[in-house]
Every structure is written in structure tokens, then in C-alpha cells.
Amino acid sequence: MLKHLWKTDRKLIDLTHTLNASVPTWNGSCGFEQALKMDYEQGCRVQAIKMHAGVGTHMDAPSHFIRDGLSVADIPLENLIVPVCVLDVSNKCHPLYMISEADILAYEKTFQQIPEKCLVIAYTGWDKYWQTPSKYRNQNKNGHMEFPGFSKKAAEMLVERNVAGIGIDTLSPDGSDMTFPVHHTILGSGGYIIENLTQCNQLPPMGAYVITLPLKAENGTESAIRAVGLV
């Protein structure tokens, strides 16, 4: 299957936000820092990077929530270079929107049943707020963040489909539900989660591939990734 990926007419889509010190983060604090350790006058420029593991466009491994779950280093490569199905709900999204079983069934009625071992991405359009962290985090008057996500029932349906993982263009596929049922469901099944994707509207609903490679960090529960779509 993978031999079909490298055709010369493939279009590459960068699904990854650029990291800097002002990117939106879960707790609102700086999640990424670069420090200069040497400069050109000393021979070359050398930087030190300090960041949260789950900053920017990143992957949650099963071990993030599940004791003895796979770490980012243990996820098989064949689960990281996979076909992608894109659920476009951007035309009806609002801060409390949760992707439902009906959304998945409507997608499958239009295209086909979501195949095993694919990545299912929700395109909500929320990435348009990335450059405005306060809007991207969208805290209400009680300090509770509000942004689109998946419902638990939708996550359970995708586990039944035996997907490799799910992705979304928000801080979390659980949206405003801070009990994290989607994390428990997807990661508990051995799948992974990708958060803070961008430009997912440039992917077709079906037929493309996505490469999502985390740092190969021993015992890593999360990792920044470079996610690339092949159309």
C-alpha cells in the first residue's frame, strides 16, 4: 500500500503549526522556549529548546492516560503513515459543538465506511484562531475553556471501526468535557490522538494519506510532531 505514496504528482500539505513562545497552550503559560547557547562568532549558532511535551501540533500516546499503554516510541510506524478520513463540520461548528455518531454516519453515507487503521481528522475550522491564543483557548467567565470536540459516543464508534487514531484542529478532542472521555476511549483502545492540527481543509474527505512522526522518546506520553498530508 505504501508504494503508492511517493508518486511525483503528490501534493504535500503541512498540517503543523509553527512553534514559538506565544502559541496557545493548555494552561495558558509559555509552552515553548528557545535559548541561544552559542552564536556564529563562536563558530556556529547552537540553541537549547525547552518545551512541554504536549505543545503545538502534537500526539498523545496511549500511555498519556493509560497505565502500561504504548509510549510515543512504541507506536508502530505502520500506524503513523496511514490513509486519512476528514470529517468537515466547519459549517455548523460552535464552541460547544461535539461531533456525533450522526456526523460519522452522514460521512459514511456520502463516501464509504471509515476503513480500519486510518486516521480520522475532524476539521472544525478552529485553527483560524491560532494566532489569537485567548480566542483559541476561549475561556468563559468561569475560566472554563470552550471549543469543539468529539462526543464519547462518536469516539466509541471510531474504536469499533478500529481506527489508528483521531485528530482535531483544537486543543483537545474532548472539547469542553474535562473528564476526558474521548481520551480514555481512544487511548484506552490503543489508538493515538493528534491535537492542534491546521490546514485540514486542504485535505480531501477521503483518499489522502497523513504522516505523523513524533519524537522517538523512551516512555514518552506526548510529543510534538510534524504532520504532513499527501494528496
Side-chain angles (χ1 to χ4, degrees):
M1 180 173 64
L2 295 181
K3 67 181 180 180
H4 300 300
L5 290 179
W6 314 117
K7 295 179 180 178
T8 56
D9 60 348
R10 288 284 185 183
K11 180 181 179 182
L12 300 178
I13 307 297
D14 195 346
L15 306 174
T16 317
H17 286 291
T18 300
L19 284 171
N20 59 54
S22 63
V23 299
T25 60
W26 183 258
N27 63 7
S29 66
C30 178
F32 181 83
E33 300 176 14
Q34 286 176 307
L36 196 61
K37 308 301 288 186
M38 289 176 53
D39 213 345
Y40 299 115
E41 292 76 14
Q42 297 166 280
C44 63
R45 175 166 285 184
V46 178
Q47 297 172 322
I49 294 176
K50 180 181 178 181
M51 65 181 187
H52 302 160
V55 69
T57 305
H58 69 275
M59 175 179 291
D60 292 351
S63 61
H64 185 38
F65 270 66
I66 308 302
R67 190 184 300 272
D68 300 323
L70 292 178
S71 74
V72 290
D74 298 326
I75 298 173
L77 283 175
E78 56 265 30
N79 288 358
L80 301 174
I81 306 174
V82 291
V84 60
C85 295
V86 181
L87 305 179
D88 184 352
V89 294
S90 60
N91 65 338
K92 55 184 174 182
C93 254
H94 53 78
L96 297 178
Y97 191 83
M98 303 297 276
I99 292 162
S100 67
E101 295 169 289
D103 288 320
I104 295 172
L105 292 174
Y107 174 91
E108 292 183 330
K109 183 177 181 180
T110 302
F111 303 101
Q112 67 180 53
Q113 181 166 310
I114 291 169
E116 293 189 350
K117 296 302 180 183
C118 74
L119 173 66
V120 176
I121 290 177
Y123 169 60
T124 73
W126 203 254
D127 59 331
K128 65 187 175 185
Y129 301 125
W130 183 257
Q131 300 299 329
T132 310
S134 61
K135 181 61 178 176
Y136 193 81
R137 297 180 75 247
N138 198 35
Q139 288 182 296
N140 63 22
K141 62 182 180 181
N142 297 317
H144 190 78
M145 292 184 291
E146 297 178 342
F147 44 78
F150 286 82
S151 70
K152 181 182 179 182
K153 290 291 187 181
E156 290 171 344
M157 179 176 282
L158 294 175
V159 168
E160 291 174 0
R161 302 292 190 269
N162 195 28
V163 300
I166 66 170
I168 195 166
D169 52 1
T170 70
L171 279 166
S172 168
D174 279 295
S176 301
D177 192 337
M178 296 301 139
T179 64
F180 303 107
V182 175
H183 275 77
H184 285 287
T185 300
I186 298 296
L187 301 181
S189 74
Y192 56 82
I193 292 171
I194 300 173
E195 297 165 334
N196 299 323
L197 287 162
T198 189
Q199 299 196 114
C200 298
N201 59 320
Q202 295 194 36
L203 296 172
M206 185 173 280
Y209 280 76
V210 170
I211 300 171
T212 55
L213 299 180
L215 293 172
K216 195 173 181 182
E218 185 176 6
N219 299 321
T221 61
E222 302 170 274
S223 173
I225 62 172
R226 186 71 177 266
V228 179
L230 292 89
V231 179

